[in-house]
Amino acid sequence: MVGFCPNKNISSQHVDNPLKRVKIGSPYYFKVMKVDKERFSFLLSCKSTDLKDDGPAFTDEFWDADVYKEDVNQMSNELKKKKEANTRVKRVIAHPNFKNISYEEATRSLDDMDWSECIIRPSANKDSSLSVTWKICERVYHNFFVKESAKDQIFSIGRQLTVGGEDFEDLDELIARFVQPMIQISHEITTHKYFFPNGTCEDVEAVEQWVREKKRELGRSPYVFSASYLQPCQFCISYMFDNTERIRHEYFK
């Protein structure tokens, strides 16, 4: 589709020659002021007053106000996260599993690490807590918070760590008693011979198709495990429970 910006929409001041304000081949931000459906074109504006206005300039009977609100909230949350990341105190913690990185950076690093590894990093919420991230399976990562107490400095680690009401003296004890057993149990599920490897339990049609394929292959009704993308550390067992070939899905942690 073609976008058109008239001279009056280039600047709040009068413009005789647009080439005095813009250059050919250079990128510029524009706001869509109107959509001409018959000509498949947009009426655009790059005036600062229009760009600063957060509200939509053009709506019609197909405008989805709820989706627009969700998009605005999502952009606001992303800007907030970036701001928090830039102002976050850099922690000084001497431990091989600790890294001063974000959640997104942690998930990318875990893709190249062994399944038994986890990454401990600063929490995005408070300077008095840590986050532990580990990989369950492809595209699925679990993340939980660790509360710190008895801190000497804002950038150092607390002498007491708490998760779910249980206290730990240091990161080694936390990993050995809490993280590793959870990772081990999860790994037993994700490496099971009936674990669904081609997606998550939210891909209901694909999971059910895999159950039917396993039934034809084995000559009996099998149970199939799958991991949840929306609720990390939660799994689903899917199976046929009668002769109608209906498939039941039950979730467990």
Side-chain angles (χ1 to χ4, degrees):
M1 298 182 71
V2 178
F4 172 69
C5 182
N7 284 0
K8 65 179 182 179
N9 286 359
I10 293 178
S11 174
S12 299
Q13 300 176 355
H14 180 70
V15 176
D16 290 324
N17 184 2
L19 294 179
K20 292 182 179 180
R21 303 301 299 268
V22 296
K23 295 181 180 180
I24 297 176
S26 299
Y28 294 94
Y29 286 99
F30 292 90
K31 184 172 185 177
V32 176
M33 307 302 293
K34 185 179 180 180
V35 179
D36 191 331
K37 300 175 183 177
E38 295 181 357
R39 298 184 178 181
F40 291 91
S41 63
F42 295 118
L43 176 64
L44 306 176
S45 173
C46 62
K47 291 194 296 187
S48 57
T49 52
D50 290 332
L51 295 177
K52 289 180 180 178
D53 184 8
D54 294 333
F58 171 83
T59 61
D60 57 14
E61 66 271 21
F62 301 105
W63 176 260
D64 194 324
D66 293 333
V67 173
Y68 169 74
K69 186 177 180 180
E70 291 178 3
D71 290 342
V72 171
N73 291 335
Q74 182 178 353
M75 288 188 291
S76 176
N77 291 334
E78 290 176 354
L79 289 174
K80 183 178 179 181
K81 288 181 180 179
K82 290 181 180 179
K83 184 178 180 181
E84 290 176 346
N86 293 332
T87 58
R88 195 179 304 157
V89 175
K90 187 174 182 179
R91 306 296 299 275
V92 181
I93 300 176
H95 192 278
N97 290 79
F98 179 82
K99 299 180 184 296
N100 275 298
I101 58 178
S102 66
Y103 172 79
E104 290 75 15
E105 292 171 318
T107 56
R108 288 195 295 267
S109 298
L110 286 167
D111 287 338
D112 299 324
M113 298 169 66
D114 186 74
W115 64 268
S116 62
E117 295 292 331
C118 68
I119 290 179
I120 303 171
R121 57 188 182 80
S123 172
N125 298 328
K126 298 180 180 178
D127 295 326
S128 59
S129 61
L130 299 170
S131 292
V132 180
T133 308
W134 53 280
K135 183 176 181 178
I136 295 177
C137 62
E138 192 66 29
R139 297 192 307 116
V140 180
Y141 307 88
H142 183 47
N143 187 75
F144 65 90
F145 299 104
V146 180
K147 181 181 178 182
E148 300 175 83
S149 304
K151 290 171 63 71
D152 296 326
Q153 301 288 342
I154 190 173
F155 51 79
S156 61
I157 189 171
R159 295 193 298 275
Q160 180 175 301
L161 308 175
T162 304
V163 180
E166 188 173 0
D167 296 331
F168 304 90
E169 293 184 356
D170 53 33
L171 292 178
D172 288 329
E173 183 185 10
L174 172 70
I175 293 174
R177 289 182 45 220
F178 187 83
V179 181
Q180 283 299 331
M182 188 164 50
I183 293 179
Q184 181 62 45
I185 294 173
S186 173
H187 184 66
E188 291 178 5
I189 298 174
T190 58
T191 56
H192 193 278
K193 62 181 179 179
Y194 294 149
F195 180 76
F196 179 62
N198 303 320
T200 63
C201 61
E202 284 77 21
D203 304 319
V204 178
E205 292 185 5
V207 171
E208 293 186 348
Q209 179 63 28
W210 209 64
V211 171
R212 295 186 178 94
E213 290 177 0
K214 284 296 179 182
K215 181 179 180 180
R216 288 193 294 268
E217 176 185 331
L218 302 173
R220 57 182 175 80
S221 298
Y223 51 86
V224 170
F225 295 116
S226 57
S228 173
Y229 176 78
L230 299 178
Q231 297 293 331
C233 225
Q234 183 166 290
F235 295 87
C236 179
I237 181 171
S238 305
Y239 58 94
M240 292 182 182
F241 61 97
D242 56 23
N243 294 328
T244 63
E245 293 197 352
R246 291 181 299 172
I247 299 175
R248 175 175 291 174
H249 306 276
E250 297 187 13
Y251 292 84
F252 62 95
K253 293 185 178 180

